[in-house]
Amino acid sequence: MRQLFKGNEAVVRGAVAAGCKAYFGYPITPASEIAEVASLLLPESGSVFIPAESEIGAIQMLFGAAAAGVRAMTASSGPGISLMQEGISYMAGALLPGVIVDIQRAGPGLGNLGVEQGDYKQVVKGGGHGCYRTPVFAPNSVQEMCDLTIHAFEVADRYRSPVMVLADGALGQMMEPIEIPPPALNEPEKPWAVVGNAATRKNLITSIYLEHDKQEVHITKLEEKYAEIEKNEVLWQEIQTEDAELLIVAFGISSRIARAAVEILRAMGIRVGLLRPISLYPFPAKRLRQLAGKVYSILVLELSSGQLVEDVRLYVGGITPVELLRRTGGMMPAAEDVVQVIKTMEKECVGNHA
Amino acid sequence: MRQLFKGNEAVVRGAVAAGCKAYFGYPITPASEIAEVASLLLPESGSVFIPAESEIGAIQMLFGAAAAGVRAMTASSGPGISLMQEGISYMAGALLPGVIVDIQRAGPGLGNLGVEQGDYKQVVKGGGHGCYRTPVFAPNSVQEMCDLTIHAFEVADRYRSPVMVLADGALGQMMEPIEIPPPALNEPEKPWAVVGNAATRKNLITSIYLEHDKQEVHITKLEEKYAEIEKNEVLWQEIQTEDAELLIVAFGISSRIARAAVEILRAMGIRVGLLRPISLYPFPAKRLRQLAGKVYSILVLELSSGQLVEDVRLYVGGITPVELLRRTGGMMPAAEDVVQVIKTMEKECVGNHA
Amino acid sequence: MRQLFKGNEAVVRGAVAAGCKAYFGYPITPASEIAEVASLLLPESGSVFIPAESEIGAIQMLFGAAAAGVRAMTASSGPGISLMQEGISYMAGALLPGVIVDIQRAGPGLGNLGVEQGDYKQVVKGGGHGCYRTPVFAPNSVQEMCDLTIHAFEVADRYRSPVMVLADGALGQMMEPIEIPPPALNEPEKPWAVVGNAATRKNLITSIYLEHDKQEVHITKLEEKYAEIEKNEVLWQEIQTEDAELLIVAFGISSRIARAAVEILRAMGIRVGLLRPISLYPFPAKRLRQLAGKVYSILVLELSSGQLVEDVRLYVGGITPVELLRRTGGMMPAAEDVVQVIKTMEKECVGNHA
Amino acid sequence: MRQLFKGNEAVVRGAVAAGCKAYFGYPITPASEIAEVASLLLPESGSVFIPAESEIGAIQMLFGAAAAGVRAMTASSGPGISLMQEGISYMAGALLPGVIVDIQRAGPGLGNLGVEQGDYKQVVKGGGHGCYRTPVFAPNSVQEMCDLTIHAFEVADRYRSPVMVLADGALGQMMEPIEIPPPALNEPEKPWAVVGNAATRKNLITSIYLEHDKQEVHITKLEEKYAEIEKNEVLWQEIQTEDAELLIVAFGISSRIARAAVEILRAMGIRVGLLRPISLYPFPAKRLRQLAGKVYSILVLELSSGQLVEDVRLYVGGITPVELLRRTGGMMPAAEDVVQVIKTMEKECVGNHA
């Protein structure tokens, strides 16, 4: 049975279906509704909702809950995610699972409440200190806000890693009918957790290895884990790429605009396709490279100053030209804007290949 | 007259020479000596030293001092830099100059006090929320710890941007004789600052633009500023690259190991060169691309799990193979390790080109 | 059915019996077991346990829960109670009920974990800013740790006031068999609370009255409330006071020593009695004055530098000499010490009256 | 040469004259001007002004500066003073001098910015945890705001104790011409301080004595110190008490109203006098008792719900009736109100003694 939900509520519905036992958070627009709904739904199922005194408190509580083997999450928007970077690094170092949802707003600084994707680098490439990565999933529908939250919990537990869901204010606010999956009990045993009994007293949750060689061994294990993740956890969607001569790359809310543009362009007879990375880390780099080998040109559509495009250029490795169409500050491109750019690119390609 | 100083002290000597009027910080090994020396030297010259209650306090104080037009700085190590990411984003958004020094330690999480370069992505590629960049300078000697700190203050004021100095515990602790430049008074007028008088009361220091179009205009100006920085502020050093068939890329402390390896390899008759980026943002991408066109192969030497190598691959754009030699956790490669890898690569190249 | 409990656990058993729905706290010896037991027992009955980030966080959470009409509590020891003084004043000003338990340790400053009553003035006479009082109940047994906690919740709701339970580390740690009363549902309606629905949206919980005359009216209502409390809520215990010529005054743990001394002295034929204030505010001033009129002399026994004795002198009003026997720093007087002092006082009295 | 100053500025002028080397504070009306003026005047004389992140930060900085042997101060109003209670207790326990100024506002809770004396109990009787006292001086003119601040620094150093100045918003805001004393250099040597050199490394500043007997010895020394203070540091003022049959007791701003009332009443031929405690701790208890023996009746005038009156009753010890005239919430009694009450009391006395 399908029900109509806002994206922010769908995140919490997904968390409940995933068996999330604790939510910690501090309010910030446009993510606050996640906390609001969590405060209502989690206690109903015997789970815990704690309003933290700050984002730093929230991420430390997530560390603590995760160390106790509890499925737990937090959510925020850009400025709050920045404040959590230290804690996320500690969770990665201490091999702790947990889900962190970023409902992006426009930045830098206070910025505004508009739709942007300016946290891409922070969440996907950089963030906290030291050598670690966090899997990142980017929904583009209310259904995926739910489904990828569930998936995030599973990936977090599978790899003992913090996992991020990267969305934005538009996805958080939009309403779509969705199917909530039935609660599943696929949470693995966590013999490593410290649950306050004698049996687990010997377990040690730490990110400190004072001896350099032991820290290097620890990091090497992290590297091996990330290699596994890059092998197994890549997710993406393709639209009309089979015969495409031009390729658009976009994720999240902007991929919906790109898809509309693809439909318009196809109706004009222009052979354009869309690659939508669903996992931003691990990035669908291999598939992108394959597609890049088949098309004349690639257009990256993003709501930031050229962040995703850098990764696309990195993975394309120079074999195909990569163009950028971007808006920022909460401004949204129309499908027609994308159509215009693609049409220009098509002429250039035709010219080049004539 | 040359004097013997530790790298951490050289940072403060540079700051004093640059006319730094305020230091705010919270102690963390291996950066604490910067605060210690600042607490002694700054008051001597009528400047202010304030021990903050946390790294978040420190970066907010830096915001405040910068808004008042005061040359000011802070320093920390990885975990503290993570905590500052929100504030750095606010400074970038509010067009505020300021110098932030990162004396890296091993991570993620608590890690240890060993030498690492694991903050590369955090400092150079990601960090806080929203679309902004910070110029980053990476010294590889005690003299440069001083000189690049001075330079950081100048670049910060020139572009009204936070600027980072990225070093590590080895550079912080090592002692070398250096020349302290005489105090220069090249601090520009700051008519935009709010200095507590009637004349500047109308000045507005803010990172908030509630209307989307105004935020986009603001971000476009940031983009133009970053384009200027990429054009004017690239710094790098080359060692024996004129006839090189193989190229090593390394920055900071590992570039010293690379240089020693180059000398050993040249003595063996192997034509290897070194490109050392001094500015990590802006990266010497154009020069790297030129050199990549002339060599068979590139080796990236870094003290992290493959962070710098991603940028090198991005800028090389696939025209030359890029290999990685990395140690982590505080472990240091010997020059001999580099020599071995280069010798292997050379054979492969010869084989390929035979 | 009687069960063996520690005093700290008895506090929580009492809170559960009183229908306490939320516990907020930050750990400090010797009060930490209250939080520990609360974290186990409260969730069992669907109540909430939240470990706060500081005592300031805890008291603010108590403010919030109380404003929502929820029976809630916190506990700490001296240093933590000091940190809560601002929040307690706000609760008193905003007419909010709540229970705060102080398991005293030795002070001032860090002091040690020993048994002391050095928080008497802070809790009973002074504390936070402005004109307000808090009812204070002082148990001297594990049974009373339970019963007076229940009583504190009832008094708090009856008068819309924060109420304190003042105990110490000995009472917190000692084990005695007690009877847990059955859960009672005597919590009054709270039509003044803000419970997150439309009906209570108009309710205002505040301690601010910007107009001076309105603040005076508000304080006058507080004064009237305190007059009611002084009339209705005085609790005390008397031991062999009917024919007493000498009176000991002591509360809490030291009243047990005093009682043992009374038994020894009575066996010697010395007519001594004990007045134990159970409510420290309101103090059993009238009864003390009556008894003072009948005895030659009064001995105050306290584990602090003369705090209770000041109140006894205030209420005795000069009609009978008041002596002090005190130990501090965690040192405990023996019953024999009390016996010696009383015997000396008796001789003086006999001498005086001969 | 006399200059016109506000009371809040006079506090800082006094601090500078006393050689105060550091001010730490967080703003709160009506005390904020102290910080404002300190931020201007202290740096002029090479002293330090640090805006703390909270009142808790401010008092901890005061602890640190005092431990380093530096004359330092903070100021706040009621809510902020509440937050400092833990730190004040630590300073008392660690034998650290320091000056804390309370410019009272109306309470409890947020209250308002009006004139009140509702912090009397907090500052004079209770406050933080454990057995300690703080000398408290209560100015009633702008000149005394300056002079008693200087005196507070001297008493603080003489007894190694935190010392409080208790004023209110009216004294803080009123302007009167005052004489600033010349800077005096009567700061004692502080061989116990830890000043960051080898010689003082062995000095220990602590409030922790884990062994109970040592803590008791420590507290006994505190008691002896307080006995010294009670012997040597009592300050008060008398107006027309020689032949008085009625006595008014008032301190601070309300003593000015009382004095005006005395003048009116004397003009009517009523023999009334005024005792103004200047030191609230130590209280002029002995002199009050002497005067109480000579008058028919005592009137306490205070701007709080009966706080001072309790101490007056304590010290009078029942030998003379003590009446109370009080206003609260920022409301001020007129001299005429006092006159009316005294006239009523006079009739009753005449009646009683007829």
Side-chain angles (χ1 to χ4, degrees):
Chain A
M1 195 200 68
R2 296 168 75 81
Q3 285 176 275
L4 197 64
F5 287 119
K6 275 192 182 182
N8 279 340
E9 177 157 6
V11 164
V12 184
R13 297 277 166 182
V16 169
C20 174
K21 289 281 173 292
Y23 181 97
F24 315 104
Y26 189 86
I28 181 172
T29 305
S32 300
E33 285 161 328
I34 299 181
E36 187 187 351
V37 176
S39 76
L40 297 172
L41 294 190
L42 264 67
E44 275 180 16
S45 56
S47 297
V48 168
F49 170 84
I50 300 186
E53 292 178 40
S54 69
E55 289 86 353
I56 293 174
I59 196 72
Q60 302 296 355
M61 290 176 182
L62 187 58
F63 187 109
V70 171
R71 276 201 167 167
M73 73 176 294
T74 186
S76 190
S77 188
I81 299 295
S82 294
L83 286 167
M84 292 181 184
Q85 293 297 354
E86 189 210 23
I88 295 171
S89 173
Y90 273 72
M91 290 183 71
L95 307 180
L96 290 177
V99 172
I100 301 134
V101 179
D102 180 4
I103 307 296
Q104 295 168 94
R105 51 189 276 171
L110 261 184
N112 64 44
L113 309 180
V115 178
E116 235 199 32
Q117 297 177 325
D119 292 357
Y120 180 91
K121 282 196 178 178
Q122 178 191 35
V123 169
V124 179
K125 305 298 286 186
H129 59 286
C131 296
Y132 73 94
R133 303 301 303 258
T134 52
V136 182
F137 299 101
N140 81 343
S141 67
V142 175
Q143 183 67 59
E144 282 191 359
M145 291 288 271
C146 174
D147 294 349
L148 289 177
T149 299
I150 297 172
H151 187 63
F153 277 102
E154 289 169 359
V155 172
D157 277 345
R158 197 176 303 144
Y159 296 96
R160 292 183 60 185
S161 172
V163 173
M164 303 197 68
V165 175
L166 185 67
D168 58 70
L171 287 163
Q173 295 304 316
M174 72 171 52
M175 296 191 80
E176 292 176 339
I178 70 169
E179 194 85 41
I180 310 283
L185 284 179
N186 55 356
E187 192 175 348
E189 292 293 308
K190 298 179 179 176
W192 48 264
V194 181
V195 302
N197 61 19
T200 64
R201 191 163 294 161
K202 65 180 194 314
N203 287 349
L204 181 63
I205 307 287
T206 186
S207 69
I208 189 170
Y209 295 87
L210 284 176
E211 291 150 69
H212 299 179
D213 54 346
K214 291 195 176 150
Q215 178 78 12
E216 189 172 56
V217 167
H218 175 59
I219 292 176
T220 304
K221 282 185 190 160
L222 286 176
E223 291 172 353
E224 290 163 1
K225 176 167 85 176
Y226 300 137
E228 280 296 300
I229 289 171
E230 289 173 20
K231 198 167 68 186
N232 300 328
E233 303 300 341
V234 184
L235 292 178
W236 74 90
Q237 183 188 17
E238 293 180 36
I239 306 285
Q240 306 215 41
T241 50
E242 317 77 34
D243 64 344
E245 294 178 335
L246 289 155
L247 183 70
I248 305 176
V249 181
F251 75 92
I253 192 70
S254 52
S255 70
R256 291 173 74 124
I257 298 163
R259 180 167 195 165
V262 168
E263 282 167 24
I264 295 167
L265 288 160
R266 282 281 172 178
M268 295 175 178
I270 299 176
R271 289 197 287 172
V272 63
L274 169 65
L275 175 68
R276 170 168 76 100
I278 295 173
S279 59
L280 298 178
Y281 176 78
F283 199 90
K286 194 171 155 191
R287 182 57 185 154
L288 170 61
R289 176 87 177 192
Q290 290 170 341
L291 291 172
K294 299 182 187 172
V295 299
Y296 295 134
S297 200
I298 295 173
L299 176 68
V300 172
L301 174 65
E302 62 175 288
L303 303 181
S304 46
S305 292
Q307 299 197 12
L308 169 65
V309 72
E310 239 181 46
D311 265 1
V312 172
R313 287 190 176 128
L314 170 63
Y315 299 124
V316 165
I319 62 172
T320 313
V322 178
E323 302 295 323
L324 169 65
L325 173 56
R326 70 176 186 11
R327 295 303 297 269
T328 60
M331 300 299 284
M332 297 280 280
E336 194 53 39
D337 300 332
V338 183
V339 167
Q340 290 309 318
V341 174
I342 289 288
K343 281 167 71 178
T344 315
M345 288 168 68
E346 198 218 5
K347 279 182 211 147
E348 287 166 5
C349 294
V350 173
N352 287 344
H353 287 268
Chain B
M1 194 199 70
R2 295 170 74 79
Q3 284 176 277
L4 198 63
F5 288 120
K6 276 192 180 181
N8 279 340
E9 177 158 6
V11 164
V12 184
R13 298 275 167 185
V16 170
C20 174
K21 288 282 172 293
Y23 181 97
F24 315 104
Y26 189 87
I28 180 172
T29 305
S32 299
E33 285 161 329
I34 297 181
E36 187 187 352
V37 177
S39 76
L40 297 172
L41 294 191
L42 264 66
E44 276 180 16
S45 56
S47 298
V48 168
F49 170 84
I50 300 186
E53 293 178 38
S54 70
E55 289 87 353
I56 292 173
I59 195 72
Q60 302 296 355
M61 289 176 183
L62 187 57
F63 186 109
V70 171
R71 276 201 166 166
M73 73 177 293
T74 186
S76 190
S77 187
I81 298 295
S82 294
L83 286 167
M84 292 180 186
Q85 293 297 356
E86 189 212 21
I88 296 171
S89 173
Y90 274 71
M91 290 183 70
L95 306 180
L96 290 177
V99 172
I100 301 133
V101 179
D102 180 5
I103 306 296
Q104 295 167 94
R105 51 189 278 172
L110 259 184
N112 64 42
L113 308 180
V115 177
E116 234 198 36
Q117 297 175 324
D119 292 355
Y120 180 89
K121 281 197 178 177
Q122 179 192 32
V123 169
V124 180
K125 306 298 286 186
H129 57 288
C131 295
Y132 73 94
R133 305 300 303 258
T134 53
V136 182
F137 299 101
N140 83 341
S141 68
V142 175
Q143 183 68 56
E144 282 191 358
M145 292 287 269
C146 175
D147 294 349
L148 289 177
T149 298
I150 297 172
H151 186 63
F153 277 101
E154 289 169 357
V155 171
D157 277 345
R158 197 175 304 146
Y159 297 96
R160 293 183 59 184
S161 171
V163 173
M164 304 198 67
V165 175
L166 186 67
D168 58 68
L171 286 163
Q173 296 304 317
M174 72 170 53
M175 296 190 82
E176 292 176 338
I178 70 169
E179 193 85 39
I180 309 284
L185 283 179
N186 54 0
E187 192 174 347
E189 292 293 308
K190 297 181 179 174
W192 48 264
V194 182
V195 303
N197 60 20
T200 64
R201 192 164 292 159
K202 66 181 194 313
N203 287 347
L204 181 64
I205 306 288
T206 186
S207 68
I208 189 170
Y209 295 87
L210 284 177
E211 290 150 71
H212 299 179
D213 53 346
K214 291 194 177 150
Q215 179 78 12
E216 189 171 56
V217 168
H218 175 60
I219 292 176
T220 303
K221 282 183 191 161
L222 286 176
E223 291 172 354
E224 290 163 1
K225 175 166 87 176
Y226 299 138
E228 281 296 299
I229 289 171
E230 289 173 21
K231 197 167 68 184
N232 300 327
E233 304 300 340
V234 184
L235 292 178
W236 75 90
Q237 182 188 20
E238 292 180 37
I239 306 284
Q240 306 213 40
T241 49
E242 316 77 33
D243 64 343
E245 295 179 333
L246 288 155
L247 182 70
I248 305 176
V249 181
F251 75 93
I253 193 70
S254 53
S255 70
R256 291 173 72 124
I257 299 163
R259 181 169 193 161
V262 167
E263 283 167 21
I264 296 168
L265 287 160
R266 283 280 172 176
M268 294 173 175
I270 298 176
R271 290 198 286 175
V272 63
L274 168 65
L275 175 68
R276 170 168 79 97
I278 295 173
S279 59
L280 298 178
Y281 176 79
F283 199 90
K286 194 171 154 192
R287 182 58 186 154
L288 170 61
R289 177 88 175 193
Q290 290 171 339
L291 291 172
K294 299 182 185 173
V295 299
Y296 295 134
S297 200
I298 295 172
L299 177 69
V300 171
L301 174 66
E302 63 175 288
L303 303 180
S304 47
S305 291
Q307 299 196 13
L308 169 64
V309 72
E310 237 179 51
D311 264 1
V312 172
R313 286 188 177 132
L314 170 64
Y315 299 124
V316 165
I319 63 172
T320 313
V322 177
E323 302 293 323
L324 170 65
L325 173 56
R326 59 146 193 40
R327 296 301 298 269
T328 60
M331 299 299 284
M332 297 281 280
E336 194 52 43
D337 300 333
V338 183
V339 168
Q340 290 309 318
V341 174
I342 289 287
K343 282 167 71 179
T344 315
M345 287 168 68
E346 196 218 7
K347 279 183 208 145
E348 287 167 4
C349 295
V350 173
N352 286 343
H353 288 267
Chain C
M1 193 199 70
R2 294 169 75 79
Q3 284 177 276
L4 199 63
F5 288 119
K6 276 192 182 182
N8 279 340
E9 176 156 7
V11 165
V12 184
R13 297 275 166 185
V16 170
C20 174
K21 289 282 172 290
Y23 182 98
F24 315 103
Y26 189 87
I28 180 172
T29 305
S32 300
E33 285 161 327
I34 298 181
E36 187 187 352
V37 177
S39 75
L40 297 172
L41 294 191
L42 264 65
E44 276 181 15
S45 56
S47 298
V48 168
F49 170 84
I50 300 186
E53 293 177 38
S54 70
E55 289 86 353
I56 292 173
I59 195 72
Q60 302 297 355
M61 289 175 182
L62 187 57
F63 187 109
V70 171
R71 276 201 166 167
M73 72 176 294
T74 185
S76 189
S77 188
I81 298 295
S82 294
L83 286 167
M84 292 181 186
Q85 293 297 355
E86 189 212 22
I88 295 171
S89 172
Y90 274 71
M91 290 184 70
L95 306 180
L96 290 177
V99 172
I100 301 134
V101 179
D102 180 5
I103 306 296
Q104 294 167 95
R105 51 190 277 171
L110 259 183
N112 65 43
L113 309 180
V115 177
E116 234 197 34
Q117 298 175 325
D119 292 356
Y120 180 89
K121 281 196 179 176
Q122 178 191 36
V123 169
V124 179
K125 305 298 285 185
H129 58 286
C131 295
Y132 73 94
R133 304 300 303 259
T134 54
V136 182
F137 299 101
N140 83 342
S141 67
V142 175
Q143 182 68 56
E144 282 191 359
M145 291 288 269
C146 175
D147 295 348
L148 289 176
T149 299
I150 297 172
H151 186 62
F153 277 102
E154 289 169 358
V155 172
D157 277 345
R158 197 175 304 145
Y159 297 96
R160 293 183 57 184
S161 171
V163 173
M164 303 198 67
V165 175
L166 185 67
D168 58 69
L171 286 164
Q173 296 303 316
M174 73 169 54
M175 297 190 81
E176 292 176 338
I178 70 169
E179 193 83 43
I180 309 284
L185 284 179
N186 55 359
E187 191 175 348
E189 292 294 308
K190 297 179 179 175
W192 48 264
V194 181
V195 302
N197 60 20
T200 64
R201 192 163 293 160
K202 66 181 194 313
N203 287 347
L204 180 64
I205 307 287
T206 186
S207 69
I208 189 171
Y209 295 88
L210 284 177
E211 290 150 70
H212 299 179
D213 54 346
K214 291 194 177 150
Q215 178 78 11
E216 188 171 56
V217 168
H218 176 60
I219 291 176
T220 303
K221 282 184 190 159
L222 286 176
E223 290 171 354
E224 290 164 0
K225 176 166 86 176
Y226 300 138
E228 280 296 300
I229 289 171
E230 289 174 21
K231 198 168 69 187
N232 301 327
E233 304 299 340
V234 184
L235 292 178
W236 74 89
Q237 183 188 21
E238 292 181 38
I239 306 285
Q240 306 213 40
T241 49
E242 315 78 33
D243 63 343
E245 295 178 335
L246 289 154
L247 182 71
I248 306 176
V249 182
F251 75 93
I253 192 71
S254 53
S255 69
R256 292 173 73 125
I257 299 163
R259 181 168 194 163
V262 167
E263 283 168 21
I264 297 168
L265 288 159
R266 283 280 172 175
M268 294 172 176
I270 298 175
R271 290 198 287 174
V272 62
L274 168 66
L275 174 68
R276 169 169 78 98
I278 296 173
S279 59
L280 298 178
Y281 176 79
F283 199 89
K286 193 171 155 193
R287 182 59 184 153
L288 169 61
R289 177 88 176 195
Q290 290 171 340
L291 292 171
K294 299 182 187 173
V295 299
Y296 295 134
S297 202
I298 295 172
L299 177 68
V300 172
L301 175 65
E302 63 175 287
L303 304 181
S304 46
S305 291
Q307 299 196 11
L308 169 64
V309 72
E310 236 179 51
D311 265 1
V312 172
R313 285 187 177 131
L314 170 64
Y315 299 123
V316 166
I319 63 173
T320 314
V322 178
E323 302 293 324
L324 170 65
L325 173 54
R326 68 168 190 16
R327 296 302 297 270
T328 60
M331 300 299 284
M332 297 281 280
E336 195 53 40
D337 300 333
V338 183
V339 168
Q340 290 309 317
V341 174
I342 289 287
K343 282 166 71 178
T344 315
M345 286 168 69
E346 196 219 7
K347 279 181 209 147
E348 287 166 4
C349 296
V350 173
N352 286 344
H353 288 267
Chain D
M1 196 200 70
R2 295 169 74 80
Q3 285 177 276
L4 197 64
F5 287 119
K6 275 191 182 181
N8 279 341
E9 177 157 7
V11 165
V12 184
R13 298 276 165 181
V16 170
C20 173
K21 288 282 174 291
Y23 181 97
F24 316 104
Y26 188 86
I28 180 172
T29 305
S32 299
E33 285 162 328
I34 299 181
E36 187 187 352
V37 177
S39 76
L40 297 172
L41 294 189
L42 265 66
E44 275 180 17
S45 56
S47 298
V48 168
F49 170 84
I50 300 186
E53 292 177 40
S54 70
E55 289 86 353
I56 294 173
I59 196 71
Q60 302 297 352
M61 289 176 181
L62 187 58
F63 186 109
V70 171
R71 276 200 166 166
M73 73 176 293
T74 186
S76 189
S77 188
I81 298 294
S82 294
L83 286 167
M84 292 182 183
Q85 293 297 356
E86 189 211 22
I88 296 171
S89 173
Y90 273 71
M91 290 184 71
L95 306 180
L96 290 177
V99 172
I100 301 133
V101 178
D102 181 5
I103 306 295
Q104 295 168 92
R105 52 189 275 171
L110 260 184
N112 65 41
L113 309 179
V115 177
E116 235 198 33
Q117 298 177 324
D119 292 357
Y120 180 91
K121 281 196 178 178
Q122 179 191 34
V123 168
V124 179
K125 306 298 287 186
H129 58 285
C131 295
Y132 73 94
R133 303 301 303 259
T134 53
V136 181
F137 298 101
N140 82 342
S141 67
V142 175
Q143 183 68 57
E144 282 191 1
M145 291 289 270
C146 174
D147 294 348
L148 290 176
T149 298
I150 297 172
H151 186 63
F153 277 101
E154 289 169 358
V155 172
D157 277 346
R158 197 175 304 145
Y159 297 95
R160 292 183 60 183
S161 171
V163 173
M164 303 198 68
V165 175
L166 185 67
D168 57 69
L171 286 164
Q173 295 304 317
M174 72 170 54
M175 297 191 80
E176 292 176 338
I178 69 169
E179 193 84 42
I180 310 284
L185 283 177
N186 55 358
E187 193 176 346
E189 291 293 308
K190 297 181 177 175
W192 48 263
V194 181
V195 301
N197 61 20
T200 64
R201 191 164 294 160
K202 65 181 194 312
N203 287 348
L204 180 64
I205 306 287
T206 186
S207 69
I208 190 170
Y209 295 88
L210 285 176
E211 290 150 72
H212 298 180
D213 54 346
K214 291 192 178 153
Q215 178 78 12
E216 188 171 56
V217 167
H218 175 60
I219 291 175
T220 303
K221 283 183 189 160
L222 285 177
E223 292 171 353
E224 290 163 1
K225 176 166 86 177
Y226 299 137
E228 281 296 301
I229 288 171
E230 290 173 20
K231 199 168 68 187
N232 301 327
E233 303 300 340
V234 184
L235 292 178
W236 74 91
Q237 183 189 17
E238 293 180 35
I239 306 283
Q240 306 215 41
T241 50
E242 317 77 34
D243 63 343
E245 294 178 335
L246 289 154
L247 182 70
I248 305 176
V249 181
F251 74 93
I253 191 70
S254 52
S255 70
R256 291 172 73 124
I257 299 162
R259 182 170 191 162
V262 167
E263 283 167 24
I264 296 168
L265 289 159
R266 282 281 171 177
M268 295 174 178
I270 299 175
R271 290 196 289 172
V272 62
L274 168 65
L275 174 68
R276 171 168 78 98
I278 296 174
S279 60
L280 299 178
Y281 176 79
F283 198 89
K286 194 171 154 192
R287 182 58 186 153
L288 170 61
R289 177 89 177 192
Q290 289 171 340
L291 291 172
K294 298 181 185 173
V295 298
Y296 295 134
S297 200
I298 296 172
L299 176 69
V300 172
L301 174 66
E302 62 175 287
L303 303 181
S304 46
S305 292
Q307 299 196 11
L308 169 64
V309 72
E310 239 181 47
D311 265 2
V312 172
R313 287 189 177 129
L314 170 63
Y315 300 124
V316 165
I319 63 172
T320 313
V322 178
E323 302 294 323
L324 169 65
L325 172 56
R326 68 166 189 20
R327 295 304 296 270
T328 60
M331 300 299 284
M332 299 280 279
E336 194 53 39
D337 300 332
V338 183
V339 167
Q340 290 308 320
V341 175
I342 288 287
K343 282 166 71 177
T344 316
M345 288 168 70
E346 198 217 7
K347 280 181 209 145
E348 287 166 5
C349 294
V350 173
N352 287 344
H353 288 268

